[in-house]
Amino acid sequence: MKNVGEAPQEELATGERSTRNRVARSILDHGPSTVAELAGRLGLTQAAVRRHLDALVADDVVEAREQRVYGTRTRGRPAKVFALTDCGRDAFDQSYDKLAVDALRWIAEREGGEKAIAAFARARIAGQAGAYRKAVESAPPNMRTEALAKALSADGYAATARSAPRPQQGEQLCQHHCPVAHVAEQFPQLCEAETEFFAELLGTHVQRLATIAHGDGVCTTFIPKTSHAADTSRAATNTDNASASTAGRNPA
């Protein structure tokens, strides 16, 4: 990864660059974060974090946003959080977005339009499914979302699992990074196929709440609490009910 927020050599010491990269990396791994959260994770003072964030904002690596609230909103103004910009994400992932977009557009124009893109997206997920399926099926039922998050992280998605905010009953799978976000912005079939696969793999209907491709800070998938007795046949049935139509959409 190239150094983010890099100033001329004589103006920025090596230690400063390293700490700045740590701040940006923490946002990548954990999603949009407050100053207090960053300070706690990195063992820095809030004043030091603010100084590095100011530099990262000036370099268009991070941007300040109003914290998005899921569930019941509490009184008072939402805390300010800092999220990676597209430029900041590119610093962590050298991709071939233009080539991929051009290839998918060619397929859409010559090989069957949106149906062809959807077929490609499902085939792509199927090609990656082995490791995810092994991780999930070897985990206890109540740890399967976390197991999926770890498997996704191994592929660069910086994923975490957590309990959903009340009054929801279930979990949220959060992907803090998406290597194909720029491509999925133009071809949401990639998000839809992933949502369908999560539903099939976890054996339940799932709902996409937000995606990086749609401009959100994190790809968030709600996974409702279900009976641990769900079997393979039920999983196959629920695949058809996956929330593909809302993939890449924020219901708010």
Side-chain angles (χ1 to χ4, degrees):
M1 187 205 80
K2 65 185 179 182
N3 289 321
V4 296
E6 186 170 9
Q9 188 71 26
E10 66 272 18
E11 296 179 10
L12 191 61
T14 301
E16 289 283 284
R17 287 201 307 274
S18 176
T19 303
R20 198 157 295 171
N21 286 337
R22 287 175 61 213
V23 172
R25 180 75 205 193
S26 184
I27 295 172
L28 172 70
D29 289 342
H30 298 275
S33 305
T34 65
V35 169
E37 289 169 341
L38 288 165
R41 288 198 296 261
L42 299 173
L44 300 171
T45 65
Q46 292 192 26
V49 169
R50 287 192 184 94
R51 177 165 54 83
H52 289 299
L53 286 172
D54 286 344
L56 291 168
V57 168
D59 290 335
D60 193 31
V61 175
V62 304
E63 61 183 359
R65 297 179 178 177
E66 183 178 283
Q67 188 173 36
R68 190 180 298 277
V69 177
Y70 297 105
T72 304
R73 183 185 292 273
T74 58
R75 289 187 176 182
R77 231 178 133 180
K80 181 187 292 186
V81 296
F82 292 85
L84 288 179
T85 63
D86 287 343
C87 176
R89 291 183 188 282
D90 288 344
F92 288 93
D93 181 50
Q94 182 62 44
S95 61
Y96 296 91
D97 292 339
K98 186 177 185 305
L99 176 62
V101 168
D102 288 346
L104 289 177
R105 186 173 292 119
W106 188 93
I107 291 173
E109 292 174 352
R110 293 169 175 79
E111 300 296 329
E114 292 188 2
K115 289 184 178 180
I117 300 299
F120 166 81
R122 292 190 181 100
R124 174 179 173 273
I125 289 293
Q128 301 172 329
Y132 301 149
R133 195 177 301 281
K134 181 178 179 181
V136 170
E137 292 180 351
S138 63
N142 64 334
M143 297 291 289
R144 286 177 178 171
T145 303
E146 184 175 341
L148 176 57
K150 289 180 179 179
L152 287 166
S153 292
D155 278 347
Y157 288 88
T160 58
R162 66 188 184 192
S163 296
R166 293 182 180 276
Q168 294 175 317
Q169 296 294 315
E171 298 174 285
Q172 285 184 349
L173 176 67
C174 301
Q175 295 158 261
H176 302 286
H177 180 55
C178 177
V180 297
H182 296 313
V183 182
E185 183 178 351
Q186 298 189 48
F187 295 97
Q189 293 92 337
L190 296 173
C191 295
E192 293 165 4
E194 186 179 74
T195 305
E196 290 176 0
F197 174 66
F198 288 167
E200 185 272 328
L201 186 61
L202 296 171
T204 184
H205 170 89
V206 305
Q207 182 182 10
R208 252 299 148 73
L209 301 179
T211 65
I212 293 170
H214 192 245
D216 299 293
V218 180
C219 293
T220 306
T221 305
F222 173 64
I223 301 163
K225 184 177 181 179
T226 59
S227 169
H228 295 162
D231 57 20
T232 304
S233 62
R234 179 183 172 191
T237 301
N238 283 329
T239 300
D240 296 331
N241 297 326
S243 190
S245 62
T246 61
R249 292 279 186 265
N250 189 315

